[in-house]
Amino acid sequence: MGGTRMDARQYEHLRRGVTDPVPGSLFALALSQGVTLEPAPGRQLRFGRNRPQVDLCLGEDDLRVSRQTGVISHRDGGWQVTNTGRLPIRLPGDQWLFPGHDPLPLVPGYTPMFVRGTRGREHMMEVYVIGPDGACPPSLFDAVTQPPKRYWLTPDEKLVLVVLGQRYLAQEAFAQPLGRRQVAEEMAELQPDADWSDRRVERVLAAVRQRLHQDGVPGLTKEELVEPIGNMLNHNLVQALMSTSTLVPADLSLLDGWD
């Protein structure tokens, strides 16, 4: 490894950066261990369940976790993580690194990694890569919170989207969007004089998807997805609107008689 052990008690987490950084250095932290490595070609950090044979122990008491789950290596001027275990490693943005796949480059800054264990347990390893200037992000604890970028919707658009995504807003497990015909039927009950049809519902949804697509939101056009598409376009639409608080659970109050 060629690195330095750090006391895990020194850092509760790595989200706020690290102290005395060297440009390009790697910091890694698990439940009971921490390791820091300065950049050098071929330098590696092995992590997994087998404490005597890895540099950072992860999931020591969980037999679902591989004895060596992965390796972080310094190659081509940067750090890369490779999955050498049996289970995928989950990273931010719904990204998965599977065994046997190409190494994934780690960008400067903070990256949490998760390995699923037994009975729904998830074992977390935090990684922080110092940028080329060696600077850590400044503390912003007393700064004004930036509001999320909420998208503007017409009243009809918002009602259609609440009907479409009501299972998500109700926080049901494995939620899916309602079909266009079902949305049209519920809209006709809510607005009996408005002549709602499944074609009109689709026009409303398509208009909102197009606006968000033009604003850079991914996954909202057929060209971006692989067949069969199914209801993935509307799934991605509801997720995007909820992630920005454009739609929130309180919006269910728009549905008369919703229980």
Side-chain angles (χ1 to χ4, degrees), residues 37-153:
L37 288 171
E38 294 185 6
R43 187 160 286 177
Q44 292 187 336
L45 183 149
R46 301 161 300 165
F47 59 94
R49 173 169 52 88
N50 192 342
R51 183 182 291 270
Q53 296 185 12
V54 296
D55 306 306
L56 189 66
C57 187
L58 185 71
E60 185 174 20
D61 62 345
D62 195 331
L63 292 175
R64 278 287 183 89
V65 178
S66 296
R67 284 169 287 187
Q68 181 177 293
T69 299
V71 177
I72 299 177
S73 307
H74 195 272
R75 303 176 185 172
D76 302 322
W79 296 97
Q80 304 177 359
V81 57
T82 303
N83 189 332
T84 59
R86 295 187 176 184
L87 294 173
I89 299 172
R90 180 169 63 85
L91 295 101
D94 291 328
Q95 188 171 24
W96 295 84
L97 178 60
F98 290 90
H101 280 206
D102 292 339
L104 183 69
L106 294 174
V107 298
Y110 176 75
T111 302
M113 304 182 190
F114 302 86
V115 177
R116 179 69 60 86
T118 56
R119 297 183 297 277
R121 297 174 64 189
E122 282 201 316
H123 303 278
M124 178 181 181
M125 183 177 77
E126 297 179 272
V127 174
Y128 198 100
V129 177
I130 303 300
D133 59 358
C136 287
S139 175
L140 302 174
F141 63 90
D142 61 346
V144 176
T145 302
Q146 293 183 353
K149 181 178 181 179
R150 297 186 177 94
Y151 292 97
W152 177 83
L153 301 171

Side-chain angles (χ1 to χ4, degrees), residues 156 187-197 200:
D156 279 352
M187 288 296 297
E189 293 180 6
L190 294 167
Q191 297 179 344
D193 299 326
D195 193 24
W196 283 98
S197 65
R200 183 180 176 188

